[in-house]
Amino acid sequence: MLNEQGKTRVGRAALRPRLVALGWDYLVIAAWLALLAAVFVPLRLAGAVVFDGLGMVGTDLLITVLSVLPAGAYLTIGEAGRHQATWGKRRAGLVVTTTTGTRPSTARIVGRNVVKLLPWQCGHMAVSRLSGGHEVIVAMPFLVAAYALAGISIALLLVRRDRAALHDVVVGTRVVPAPQ
């Protein structure tokens, strides 16, 4: 709903629509990851040494470029775009606004998605260290960070009246019902 200043009234998006939006958005991201797997798994099975010898930093960069950045681009393009919502949020009837109900800047949306995807990136970094033959102690800080950030975000989403997750709290955004 719009108020008299033309701003989206900041309220509380119910948990169910947020989960529905998340599911639709993860479907898009999973499709991208499936495409990557369809390309790279057969190469690996055929004996191609596509990623061997990259080292820890090279593997981190590759994972970031192939998976985290495209997911972040999808989220950012949707939320910073005309509809202020990803495909999943549009299907669930939600938009992203600032805490005052105005359109968030692109920089704010980028920050929101960096914080949102940070647990995923930490998880990737932990797995790359474990699969690279490093000691568990090298992967542990990334694993702890991934679980802690995800846990804090979920806890905030569940207990806050405005359903703001960690990424919303950090950058001052909210997910609210779309204006009629």
Side-chain angles (χ1 to χ4, degrees), residues 154-170:
I154 292 167
L156 287 170
L157 180 69
L158 293 175
V159 302
R160 287 182 59 104
R161 288 182 45 109
D162 59 5
R163 297 281 186 229
L166 180 62
H167 46 276
D168 293 311
V169 172
V170 169

Side-chain angles (χ1 to χ4, degrees), residues 38-110:
V39 170
F40 290 109
V41 169
L43 288 174
R44 186 66 175 188
L45 291 174
V49 287
V50 180
F51 305 123
D52 290 352
L54 287 177
M56 199 164 47
V57 173
T59 301
D60 289 342
L61 287 173
L62 185 66
I63 289 169
T64 301
V65 167
L66 291 178
S67 66
V68 180
L69 287 180
Y74 161 72
L75 296 169
T76 300
I77 289 167
E79 293 170 351
R82 180 171 56 101
H83 297 289
Q84 293 174 239
T86 59
W87 179 70
K89 284 183 185 68
R90 285 197 322 264
R91 289 185 61 90
L94 303 173
V95 295
V96 178
T97 69
T98 65
T99 55
T100 60
T102 60
R103 172 185 280 287
S105 67
T106 300
R108 190 177 293 218
I109 293 296
V110 168

